[in-house]
Amino acid sequence: MTRKETVVREHLDALLFDLDGTVLDTARDFEQVLNLQLKAHHLPPVDYQKLCGVVSSGARAMVALGFGIDEDDEKFEVLRQEFLDLYGQHLCSASQLYPGMQEVLNWARREQLPLAIVTNKPSAFTLPLLERLGLGHYFGSVVCPDHVSHAKPSPEPILLAATQLAVRPQRCLYIGDHLRDVEAGRAAGMITVGCRYGYLVAGEKIEDWQADYLISEAHELIPLCEKLATAEAIEALNQ
């Protein structure tokens, strides 16, 4: 390091994030793409709030919602690929950082706290999206499902990111908006943070995930990290 470590950096090694619903609000892009696809098939548009409830479950869930079919339908795979092709064409039309997330990224840089993205979004979409938004330089590691044998909720991608950052998992936070994020982070031995502001499944209670901490807005990560920046706090969580 080029300057003396801060108290935060002495006791926290890194922050690792899910992408959609945690760092970026991408739902409007998915709404646009799915509705374009539905219109081409002479079907009515999808309800935005219902769509938000399945965004974290990926393209399969969004196609199933829009077309009212399940994965056993003979047309499903063709429609899923059509959806992905359209998404690639309209990537980053309306995606943006959640309020307060830019503040978190800048704060982490000042604290020299390494950052990573660990997402179930394929790298073919993740890397261009981060590049177009000018965010790639913030993250020392970006791990996508095509980089590992098992995606989240397996801890494999999170542990790979920790290895790439050369940090200790037990001194890291993993932040996400889905139960699988908390499960993966816990299995990796990290401190887990659930995001109330993300794409929660309708009727699901985030308290049931048993994350170590819950936040309602992105900027709450800063005081949380400062709170955790004591050896006693970290040791208590790791017991």
Side-chain angles (χ1 to χ4, degrees), residues 124-220:
F125 302 125
T126 298
L127 299 179
L129 182 58
L130 291 173
E131 183 68 23
R132 292 181 194 182
L133 289 170
L135 299 173
H137 63 98
Y138 283 104
F139 302 100
S141 171
V142 178
V143 177
C144 303
D146 41 305
H147 297 148
V148 292
S149 299
H150 301 93
K152 297 179 296 182
S154 166
E156 182 185 351
I158 294 179
L159 291 173
L160 175 59
T163 298
Q164 292 177 347
L165 293 178
V167 296
R168 298 163 291 183
Q170 68 272 22
R171 293 294 181 99
C172 297
L173 273 64
Y174 187 67
I175 303 114
D177 71 314
H178 196 279
L179 174 59
R180 76 169 69 87
D181 297 319
V182 173
E183 291 175 337
R186 184 185 300 122
M190 293 190 179
I191 301 163
T192 56
V193 181
C195 301
R196 296 182 185 274
Y197 61 80
Y199 305 134
L200 303 186
V201 177
E204 189 172 37
K205 293 183 179 179
I206 192 171
E207 292 80 7
D208 293 341
W209 300 355
Q210 298 184 332
D212 294 308
Y213 296 96
L214 298 174
I215 58 172
S216 297
E217 297 181 0
H219 68 83
E220 294 173 19

Side-chain angles (χ1 to χ4, degrees), residues 2-231:
T2 58
R3 66 178 176 85
K4 185 178 179 180
E5 289 183 327
T6 64
V7 173
V8 170
R9 185 64 181 90
E10 287 174 359
H11 298 296
L12 288 177
D13 279 9
L15 303 181
L16 290 78
F17 297 88
D18 176 44
L19 185 60
D20 299 75
T22 301
V23 173
L24 294 180
D25 183 358
T26 55
R28 289 297 181 186
D29 280 355
F30 289 123
E31 178 192 32
Q32 177 188 16
V33 167
L34 184 55
N35 284 338
L36 282 172
Q37 185 182 21
L38 291 171
K39 183 178 181 180
H41 288 270
H42 309 290
L43 292 171
V46 70
D47 178 79
Y48 177 70
Q49 293 303 322
K50 289 182 179 179
L51 178 66
C52 286
V54 302
V55 165
S56 289
S57 296
R60 293 182 181 279
M62 288 184 273
V63 169
L65 173 68
F67 287 89
I69 60 176
D70 58 34
E71 296 186 30
D72 294 331
D73 191 290
E74 61 181 10
K75 302 185 297 293
F76 187 88
E77 191 56 34
V78 172
L79 291 170
R80 186 186 73 88
Q81 190 57 55
E82 183 180 80
F83 174 85
L84 292 174
D85 290 343
L86 278 171
Y87 181 56
Q89 295 169 25
H90 296 275
L91 189 67
C92 201
S93 295
S95 293
Q96 59 185 350
L97 287 169
Y98 275 102
M101 186 54 70
Q102 186 67 63
E103 180 185 357
V104 172
L105 298 179
N106 292 339
W107 171 83
R109 172 160 288 182
R110 290 194 302 272
E111 297 293 330
Q112 300 188 17
L113 192 61
L115 304 177
I117 293 290
V118 182
T119 176
N120 280 359
K121 192 187 199 82
S123 61
F125 302 125
T126 298
L127 299 179
L129 182 58
L130 291 173
E131 183 68 23
R132 292 181 194 182
L133 289 170
L135 299 173
H137 63 98
Y138 283 104
F139 302 100
S141 171
V142 178
V143 177
C144 303
D146 41 305
H147 297 148
V148 292
S149 299
H150 301 93
K152 297 179 296 182
S154 166
E156 182 185 351
I158 294 179
L159 291 173
L160 175 59
T163 298
Q164 292 177 347
L165 293 178
V167 296
R168 298 163 291 183
Q170 68 272 22
R171 293 294 181 99
C172 297
L173 273 64
Y174 187 67
I175 303 114
D177 71 314
H178 196 279
L179 174 59
R180 76 169 69 87
D181 297 319
V182 173
E183 291 175 337
R186 184 185 300 122
M190 293 190 179
I191 301 163
T192 56
V193 181
C195 301
R196 296 182 185 274
Y197 61 80
Y199 305 134
L200 303 186
V201 177
E204 189 172 37
K205 293 183 179 179
I206 192 171
E207 292 80 7
D208 293 341
W209 300 355
Q210 298 184 332
D212 294 308
Y213 296 96
L214 298 174
I215 58 172
S216 297
E217 297 181 0
H219 68 83
E220 294 173 19
L221 278 170
I222 297 174
L224 173 59
C225 289
E226 291 171 342
K227 172 185 174 182
L228 288 171
T230 65

